[in-house]
Structure formats: C-alpha cells, structure tokens
C-alpha cells in the first residue's frame, strides 16, 4: 500500500494563505497545515509568508492511515514554492512533523517504502531521525542514501542548501 508520488506546490502574491487541492482526509489536511505553519515560522523574517499564498496539490488519494506522514514532504514542497528552489525527482521525503519541526516516522514496513522509492528512481531520502536504522538492513545493495534528522529545519537545510535562517529555528527550540 506504499506509493511514491510527487506533491506539487505553487506560490503567488496573496495574503499568506494555504489552499489544499486533492487532500481529502482530515489527517492529511492537518498534516499539510502543520507543515505550512512550520515553514511560515521558519521564514518569518522574510516578507514572503505574509504576502504569499500557496496552493498544495497531492495527486494521490491519501487515507487517514497515511495522512499524518505527509508533513515532511508537504513542508519541502511548500518551502520549494516559497523560495523558488526545486529538487529533482530523485529526492523523496518521509515522515511527519509538528509545529516546531520535530520529525516522526511511522513504523511501517521498510521493504514497502524502499520498493516504492527504488521503483520511482529515488536516490536520496530525507527523513525523520531513526528512519535510517529502520531502513538500513533493507537498503544494502540499493543505491538509496538516507539523510535523517530529528528536526525538519535540518532536513530542509540539507535538501535545499538553505542559509542559517533554518538553523536558527533549531537553536530556539
């Protein structure tokens, strides 16, 4: 039941709102909203969150069982839209987050995740702390690198090579 799919986000001038498209489960909606709030907080010194609307599109149906695990991917997509920095399809994001950027990984079969990621051509996975240990024995012989961190600010900084703004978030916690 694990699928790998892109999450798309677009930013435009507005009032600082989030519009969710294709997100139908309550858990998925809440997870995306939490990710949006974290990114806005991380970029609070920038004028962008206050004058930018973001549309987030999840092209696959996500049920409540997996809805909470959209947080890290949603945050990456929202940050990409707000900063104009893109990542290629060889990168994937796993896990959920809270308002302070702490990351969590649902304990679902690592086999299923790696099979889906490998089939999609993913070579780098940005994930919650502890994910690497769960995936370690399954990724031997596969070309998948796992970058993990307990806080979303570290993951996003690593993925997007962002400046110290996100590092400052971690110090405040």
């Amino acid at each position: 039941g694990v699928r790998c799919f892109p999450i798309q986000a677009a930013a435009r001038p507005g009032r600082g709102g989030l519009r969710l498209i294709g997100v139908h489960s309550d858990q998925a909606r809440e997870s995306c909203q939490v990710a949006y709030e974290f990114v806005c907080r991380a970029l609070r010194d920038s004028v962008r969150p206050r004058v930018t609307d973001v549309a987030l599109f999840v092209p696959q149906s996500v049920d409540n069982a997996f809805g909470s695990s959209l947080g890290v991917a949603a945050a990456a997509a929202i940050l990409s839209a707000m900063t104009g920095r893109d990542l290629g399809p060889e990168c994937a994001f796993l896990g959920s987050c809270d308002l302070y950027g702490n990351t969590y990984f649902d304990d679902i079969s690592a086999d299923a995740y790696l099979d889906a990621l490998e089939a999609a051509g993913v070579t780098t996975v940005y994930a919650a702390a502890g994910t690497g240990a769960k995936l370690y024995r399954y990724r031997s012989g596969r070309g998948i690198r796992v970058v993990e961190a307990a806080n979303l600010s570290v993951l996003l900084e690593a993925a997007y090579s962002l400046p110290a703004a996100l590092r400052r978030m971690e110090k405040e916690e």
Side-chain angles (χ1 to χ4, degrees):
V2 175
R3 298 172 305 238
C4 187
F5 54 87
I7 296 177
Q8 302 168 355
R12 64 177 180 188
R15 295 182 179 168
L18 175 65
R19 181 171 177 232
L20 299 174
I21 305 165
V23 182
H24 303 294
S25 84
D26 292 338
Q27 287 244 314
R29 293 182 76 73
E30 288 176 8
S31 187
C32 291
Q33 187 66 45
V34 166
Y36 174 75
E37 295 298 331
F38 171 79
V39 171
C40 286
R41 186 168 174 249
L43 297 176
R44 70 180 172 269
D45 292 337
S46 164
V47 71
R48 283 188 161 259
R50 293 186 294 266
V51 297
T52 303
D53 286 344
V54 175
L56 185 72
F57 173 53
V58 178
Q60 297 286 325
S61 177
V62 179
D63 61 22
N64 275 331
F66 294 100
S68 64
S69 61
L70 280 177
V72 173
I78 292 164
L79 185 65
S80 176
M82 286 187 152
T83 63
R85 296 174 187 234
D86 293 328
L87 287 176
E90 69 281 355
C91 297
F93 295 83
L94 291 176
S96 58
C97 65
D98 64 19
L99 287 170
Y100 296 101
N102 298 310
T103 59
Y104 308 94
F105 181 68
D106 297 333
D107 197 12
I108 299 170
S109 169
D111 279 333
Y113 275 111
L114 284 180
D115 289 344
L117 294 170
E118 189 174 46
V122 170
T123 58
T124 304
V125 176
Y126 296 92
T131 305
K134 292 176 185 176
L135 300 179
Y136 180 75
R137 65 184 170 135
Y138 300 105
R139 67 182 163 123
S140 60
R142 300 181 192 208
I144 296 178
R145 178 177 73 121
V146 178
V147 177
E148 58 184 324
N151 195 280
L152 192 52
S153 61
V154 176
L155 284 179
L156 295 176
E157 182 181 350
Y160 291 99
S161 301
L162 291 174
L166 292 174
R167 277 195 301 268
R168 185 178 62 249
M169 284 282 302
E170 186 177 67
K171 290 178 185 175
E172 291 176 2
E173 306 311 325

